[in-house]
Amino acid sequence: MNMNGIDFDTYFKHYPDENGYFGRYGGVYVSDELKTAMREISDAYFTIAQSRQFIAELRRIRKEFQGRPTPVSHLERLSNKLGNVQLYVKREDLNHTGAHKLNHCMGEVLLAKYMGKKKVIAETGAGQHGVAMATAAAYFGMECDIYMGTEDIKKQAPNVARMKILGANVVEVTEGQATLKEAVDAAFAAYARDYKDCIYCIGSVVGPHPFPMMVRDFQHVVGEEAREQFVEMTGHLPDAIVACVGGGSNSAGFFAGFLNDPVDIYGIEPLGRGTNLGDHAASLQYGTEGVMHGFNSIMLKDENGDPAPVYSVASGLDYPSSGPEHAFLRDIGRVKYDVVGDEDTIDAFFTLSRQEGIIPAIESAHAVAYGIKLAQRMGKGSVLINLSGRGDKDMDYIIQKYGIR
């Protein structure tokens, strides 16, 4: 498949380039000391992670510990209710720890082990990355510090408890809005102080190179499985695929399995309460080019050009930028990015729960909401949605704020 001069047959050989750029997005915008650390991680990834031993170990872990492959499920009752379009979901909610995050966490911590590191550092918003990182650290017997904003700690108490039970040290971040952006700031600062003995395992396809590439590659298993399973189940490719986008890890891995296929791809950002700055976190829709957290991408900015305050009902999506590959795929037109607000998201949360017996994470419910709208618009065909996580973590928050609808 070829689009705007991009040959998707060879896409993964050329993107990112050797300097970590997807077109003009990406790169390594950090101090000279941290550039040395990034080169160390990059060199390790391109040597250790390509070895037969590493690959075999990761495959064993995915099968015996994570429970992969996760299935694709046909949403038959919901599809019949909507009309002729058939909806399917890739069940990352059934991956161990309840979301896609463990896919890259096990890979990153396995890499850290091979590199001889003693501790892993991570940030988390919704808590799923934190739980996955705490799980991986426990599995490999490594120390683990998880940075999390005060506001997210309040919303995600079950995941905070899980991290602590798994042995992680949860570091509360009180600065600024005390959400995901501030947690990343704090984790980067901690890493800069101790990079020789630890590794910062970034929780999405963001940050300096090689993380956008490395996390996508570890998440590529989602798209690979989904494509094979859907064809085996139906005999053909889906007409469209949909995933939510915050930083963009679940969507990057999911999309990677279909970039070279004649499939419409939709990435869904959180519109939150509306289009005013501070009421949403839809950076690709309303942002401009800028650098934060060591990479160049599209970001939401305040009047001073700094990262703007953002909001989403989903703690895992309230980040003022998106991964550089998403910005690139948007620019070349391969992926269509759109938005869904809080109300439609909560409606989809309850609809999927009641119609199919699947309680989605609020993040994933953004994709479900858009998938429902897309099905109504299409009139015929099939839509495959990446159900990136389950909603156990969101129960208390949903009931407190919205009640039982």
Side-chain angles (χ1 to χ4, degrees):
M1 183 174 178
N2 199 294
M3 177 175 285
N4 287 332
I6 307 297
D7 182 0
F8 283 96
D9 281 330
T10 59
Y11 174 81
F12 295 108
K13 291 182 179 179
H14 301 295
Y15 296 98
D17 65 17
E18 61 183 11
N19 295 313
Y21 284 93
F22 301 85
R24 67 176 186 269
Y25 305 113
V28 185
Y29 295 82
V30 295
S31 67
D32 288 340
E33 270 196 323
L34 282 184
K35 282 181 181 177
T36 299
M38 292 302 111
R39 280 194 295 271
E40 179 193 17
I41 295 170
S42 184
D43 289 345
Y45 180 70
F46 281 116
T47 53
I48 295 169
Q50 306 306 316
S51 70
R52 180 197 63 80
Q53 185 179 3
F54 183 96
I55 293 169
E57 177 69 358
L58 188 58
R59 285 176 174 170
R60 184 192 65 78
I61 289 168
R62 285 172 173 171
K63 180 180 179 180
E64 297 178 7
F65 182 70
Q66 293 184 229
R68 303 205 69 89
T70 58
V72 165
S73 297
H74 180 204
L75 304 182
E76 187 172 0
R77 291 188 67 229
L78 182 55
S79 299
N80 291 339
K81 180 181 178 182
L82 293 173
N84 295 324
V85 175
Q86 300 303 303
L87 292 176
Y88 298 80
V89 285
K90 174 61 172 166
R91 300 291 305 279
E92 288 303 288
D93 60 311
L94 297 179
N95 192 36
H96 181 45
T97 73
H100 69 290
K101 293 290 187 180
L102 195 62
N103 299 329
H104 67 256
C105 288
M106 295 304 287
E108 286 178 322
V109 181
L110 179 61
L111 182 64
K113 176 187 173 185
Y114 275 83
M115 292 172 69
K117 301 297 183 180
K118 299 175 182 177
K119 183 168 78 171
V120 292
I121 292 173
E123 86 297 327
T124 194
Q128 286 302 125
H129 175 62
V131 169
M133 188 54 63
T135 300
Y139 182 90
F140 290 108
M142 297 185 73
E143 294 179 51
C144 179
D145 288 346
I146 306 292
Y147 290 79
M148 190 172 189
T150 300
E151 292 305 309
D152 292 333
I153 286 175
K154 292 176 186 174
K155 289 168 68 175
Q156 303 294 344
N159 272 346
V160 175
R162 292 169 75 190
M163 286 183 264
K164 291 179 178 179
I165 287 171
L166 288 161
N169 176 35
V170 180
V171 183
E172 183 173 355
V173 179
T174 60
E175 288 78 11
Q177 286 190 292
T179 56
L180 182 56
K181 185 260 179 190
E182 288 75 25
V184 176
D185 290 340
F188 257 115
Y191 179 53
R193 294 191 297 268
D194 196 23
Y195 67 88
K196 291 183 181 179
D197 292 323
C198 69
I199 186 172
Y200 177 18
C201 296
I202 294 176
S204 194
V205 287
V206 298
H209 178 67
F211 283 98
M213 171 194 65
M214 192 164 69
V215 173
R216 176 202 67 188
D217 290 353
F218 286 137
Q219 290 293 345
H220 195 169
V221 64
V222 180
E224 289 177 325
E225 285 179 6
R227 187 186 188 282
E228 181 180 342
Q229 290 166 325
F230 194 90
V231 171
E232 182 180 353
M233 182 181 289
T234 68
H236 53 77
L237 291 166
D239 292 290
I241 64 170
V242 182
C244 64
V245 180
S249 57
N250 91 90
S251 44
F254 188 51
F255 295 167
F258 296 88
L259 287 176
N260 199 34
D261 293 318
V263 172
D264 292 332
I265 303 178
Y266 295 89
I268 310 308
E269 295 188 292
L271 185 60
R273 297 178 293 241
T275 58
N276 291 332
L277 195 64
D279 283 341
H280 63 83
S283 57
L284 294 168
Q285 197 77 10
Y286 300 107
T288 55
E289 189 171 348
V291 174
M292 66 178 287
H293 293 153
F295 69 105
N296 181 52
S297 187
I298 301 297
M299 61 181 276
L300 294 165
K301 301 175 184 176
D302 63 18
E303 63 276 7
N304 299 316
D306 296 321
V310 291
Y311 161 81
S312 171
V313 68
S315 297
L317 300 181
D318 59 358
Y319 187 67
S321 186
S322 287
E325 186 171 20
H326 284 294
F328 178 65
L329 292 171
R330 183 202 69 166
D331 282 6
I332 66 172
R334 181 62 191 97
V335 178
K336 302 168 186 176
Y337 292 89
D338 209 338
V339 295
V340 165
D342 284 0
E343 283 303 316
D344 287 340
T345 296
I346 299 304
D347 285 345
F349 175 92
F350 283 107
T351 296
L352 187 64
S353 300
R354 301 278 169 77
Q355 292 292 319
E356 297 290 344
I358 301 171
I359 302 175
I362 301 178
E363 290 78 13
S364 312
H366 283 75
V368 174
Y370 194 84
I372 290 171
K373 289 185 176 183
L374 184 61
Q376 293 169 327
R377 195 164 73 226
M378 287 168 56
K380 63 179 181 178
S382 58
V383 177
L384 175 59
I385 302 163
N386 193 30
L387 197 73
S388 54
R390 66 176 181 240
D392 304 37
K393 65 184 179 60
D394 299 313
M395 290 292 93
D396 292 345
Y397 176 74
I398 287 281
I399 293 169
Q400 181 181 4
K401 185 165 184 177
Y402 297 97
I404 302 296
R405 294 188 177 180

